[in-house]
Amino acid sequence: MSCCISQLAATFAFFPPSPATYQVKKRDDGKLVAVSTTSSIPICGASDDLSLDVLYVDTKRGNKIVAFYLKNPYAKLTVLYSHGNAADLGQLYDLFVQLKANLRVNLMGYDYSGYGASTGKPSEFDTYADIEAVYECLQTEYGISQEDLILYGQSVGSGPTLHLAAKLPRLRGVVLHSGILSGLRVLCHANFSFCFDIYKNLNKIQKVKSPVLVIHGTEDDVVNWIHGNGLWKMSRDPYEPLWIKGGGHCNLELYPDYIRHLCRFIQEMECMTTEVRLKKIRQTLRLPKRSDTTISTNRCCQVKCRLPNCLNCSKMSCTKCCSWPKCPKWKPKCSVCWKPGCLKCSCTLPKCSCACPECSCACPKCSCTCPKCCCWSVKCSCW
C-alpha cells in the first residue's frame, strides 16, 4: 500500500520538461554532443567544445542518464550539481558555464531518470541511484575524490544531494539552494512524517559531517523559507546562511549576493586544511569528557576501584598486590603498633589489610574486626 502511495506521490512531485530541450547525438569521431531541439545546433559554442564532456552514465536501476562535465583548468574543487524540478540540462547549460567561470571549479551536472535525454521514469529512489552513478563516474573517469567535491542541490535536488552527502564523511562541502525538509512538508506545515513521505531531508541533514551552506529566498512561494531555516538549524556544521530578501524560488541567481556569498564559501573550502577538517570532525563527534577519577588498568583483582594516593609523594599503589605502599619515601607514623591506619592512633594514612592487635573482629580478608571497619580491603563488605 505504501509503495503505491509513494508512486502516486512521485507523480505529483516530478515535472520533467516535455519535450526535452536537447538531444544527445554522436559525431563522426564518436564523441557525444548535446544538440538543442529548437535549433538543431550544439548547445555549446565551438570555442567551448573542448571544455564540455557529454556522457551517458548507467545506474544500478537500469537507466541511462545524461551528464555534462565542464572543465576549468584553474579549478581546485569540483561541484556536483543536482538541479530542481521542471528543468533539464539544456536549460541549465548557460548557468553551468557562469558558475564554472565565477567559482573557478569543475562542474558536473546531470539529468534525473526521465528528465531530458535520460531514460526511465523519475522517482525518489531513481534519483538516489542517479547521483550515486554520477559520483562513481567522477571517481573513475576524472579521479575526483570526496575530499575535493562539493555537492550542490537545488529544490528537489536537495534530496539526492543529502542522500549522498550523508554517506561521504570526508566531503568538502554541501550547498542547499531552496532546499526542502521533506516532500510532504512542502504541501503542508506538518510536524510529523508518513511512510509515503519522500525526501526526508530533515533526518539526513543530521548525518552530514561537512560544512553546509543554505541559500533561500525570503519570498519563496514554492518552498517556504521555513524549510531552509530548518535545514540550517539542524546542520552539524552550518556555514553562514544566505537569506536573499525578496528572493523567490527560481530567481536567486539574479541577485549579486548569490554569487558573492557562494564565491566566499568556495574559497574558504579551498583554503580549509586537513588539520582544520580533522578538528571539525572531532567536534561533530561530540565525544564525552574524560573523567578525573583514576582507574587502575594493571590491577590483580576483578573489582574496579580507585587507588589510594601516597600522602607524601602522591604515587599510586594497589592495595591487594603489594605492601602499602611502594613509595620509598613512606614511613609508618603510628608509634604504638607501627601499623598504618590503626584506629587507636591518630594516623592519617589509609587503612591497610593487616591484623591490628588492638582490634578483634573477623573481616574475611584480614583478621581485624574493628566496629568501624578499619580494613582497606576491596572485599570488605563495609568498605
Side-chain angles (χ1 to χ4, degrees):
M1 179 65 181
S2 61
C3 180
C4 296
I5 297 177
S6 298
Q7 293 177 358
L8 181 63
T11 303
F12 292 99
F14 301 101
F15 303 98
S18 182
T21 63
Y22 72 97
Q23 295 176 340
V24 175
K25 295 184 178 181
K26 184 178 291 187
R27 297 191 315 194
D28 295 337
D29 59 359
K31 184 176 182 180
L32 296 177
V33 294
V35 178
S36 174
T37 55
T38 57
S39 60
S40 297
I41 60 175
I43 63 174
C44 58
S47 60
D48 293 333
D49 191 44
L50 296 177
S51 66
L52 172 65
D53 289 345
V54 180
L55 309 166
Y56 267 124
V57 181
D58 295 320
T59 74
K60 64 183 180 182
R61 293 175 69 90
N63 297 323
K64 283 184 175 292
I65 61 172
V66 181
F68 287 0
Y69 183 71
L70 288 78
K71 294 169 284 189
N72 189 322
Y74 304 103
K76 294 181 180 179
L77 301 177
T78 299
V79 173
L80 175 51
Y81 194 106
S82 301
H83 62 71
N85 223 335
D88 62 16
L89 293 179
Q91 297 169 312
L92 294 169
Y93 175 74
D94 291 336
L95 173 64
F96 289 170
V97 172
Q98 294 178 16
L99 292 178
K100 180 196 73 170
N102 293 329
L103 303 180
R104 296 183 66 176
V105 295
N106 301 316
L107 191 144
M108 174 73 91
Y110 66 101
D111 267 336
Y112 310 121
S113 299
Y115 279 69
S118 298
T119 65
K121 293 183 179 180
S123 71
E124 176 187 6
F125 294 101
D126 277 299
T127 59
Y128 294 160
D130 297 339
I131 194 171
E132 289 174 358
V134 174
Y135 170 64
E136 184 178 353
C137 175
L138 282 173
Q139 287 183 303
T140 57
E141 297 295 329
Y142 299 100
I144 305 298
S145 63
Q146 59 176 292
E147 291 85 354
D148 298 323
L149 185 64
I150 293 178
L151 299 185
Y152 190 115
Q154 179 188 15
S155 188
V156 170
S158 60
T161 293
L162 288 176
H163 167 78
L164 183 60
K167 296 183 175 183
L168 303 179
R170 301 187 305 277
L171 194 66
R172 185 59 65 102
V174 175
V175 180
L176 299 178
H177 175 161
S178 303
I180 65 175
L181 288 170
S182 75
L184 179 64
R185 285 168 173 77
V186 176
L187 302 177
C188 59
H189 300 294
N191 293 326
F192 47 85
S193 296
F194 289 101
C195 60
F196 57 83
D197 196 4
I198 64 173
Y199 294 135
K200 298 176 184 178
N201 293 338
L202 72 167
N203 297 332
K204 296 181 179 179
I205 186 67
Q206 302 174 37
K207 301 177 183 179
V208 178
K209 297 181 176 63
S210 54
V212 177
L213 166 62
V214 177
I215 303 174
H216 217 106
T218 59
E219 301 299 326
D220 192 330
D221 56 355
V222 178
V223 179
N224 194 283
W225 170 82
I226 295 175
H227 289 253
N229 188 47
L231 291 172
W232 175 67
K233 287 184 176 180
M234 287 185 286
S235 300
R236 298 175 64 173
D237 188 6
Y239 186 81
E240 180 185 352
L242 176 60
W243 312 126
I244 299 182
K245 187 175 181 180
H249 189 68
C250 301
N251 62 350
L252 300 187
E253 297 89 349
L254 303 178
Y255 289 81
D257 286 345
Y258 166 80
I259 196 65
R260 187 182 303 120
H261 198 83
L262 197 53
C263 280
R264 181 157 64 91
F265 175 74
I266 296 295
Q267 290 173 358
E268 291 191 21
M269 295 303 101
E270 289 179 349
C271 298
M272 185 182 294
T273 62
T274 303
E275 181 180 357
V276 174
R277 285 176 57 80
L278 290 175
K279 183 178 179 181
K280 286 181 175 291
I281 291 174
R282 293 190 189 101
Q283 291 174 347
T284 57
L285 290 177
R286 299 174 183 175
L287 295 175
K289 294 182 179 179
R290 293 183 178 178
S291 174
D292 292 334
T293 304
T294 304
I295 303 297
S296 172
T297 58
N298 190 24
R299 58 182 180 272
C300 56
C301 51
Q302 297 296 325
V303 181
K304 294 182 180 180
C305 60
R306 185 182 186 278
L307 298 176
N309 294 331
C310 173
L311 297 182
N312 286 345
C313 67
S314 299
K315 287 189 176 180
M316 313 300 286
S317 179
C318 177
T319 59
K320 187 175 180 181
C321 61
C322 61
S323 301
W324 167 264
K326 288 184 177 180
C327 174
K329 297 182 180 180
W330 179 84
K331 294 180 180 179
K333 293 184 178 180
C334 178
S335 58
V336 178
C337 63
W338 289 91
K339 303 293 184 181
C342 177
L343 291 181
K344 280 287 186 177
C345 330
S346 58
C347 294
T348 57
L349 296 179
K351 312 300 181 296
C352 74
S353 57
C354 64
C356 179
E358 301 294 332
C359 310
S360 60
C361 68
C363 178
K365 178 63 181 175
C366 60
S367 59
C368 77
T369 53
C370 175
K372 294 185 179 180
C373 189
C374 65
C375 178
W376 189 254
S377 170
V378 294
K379 291 186 178 181
C380 180
S381 58
C382 308
W383 176 64

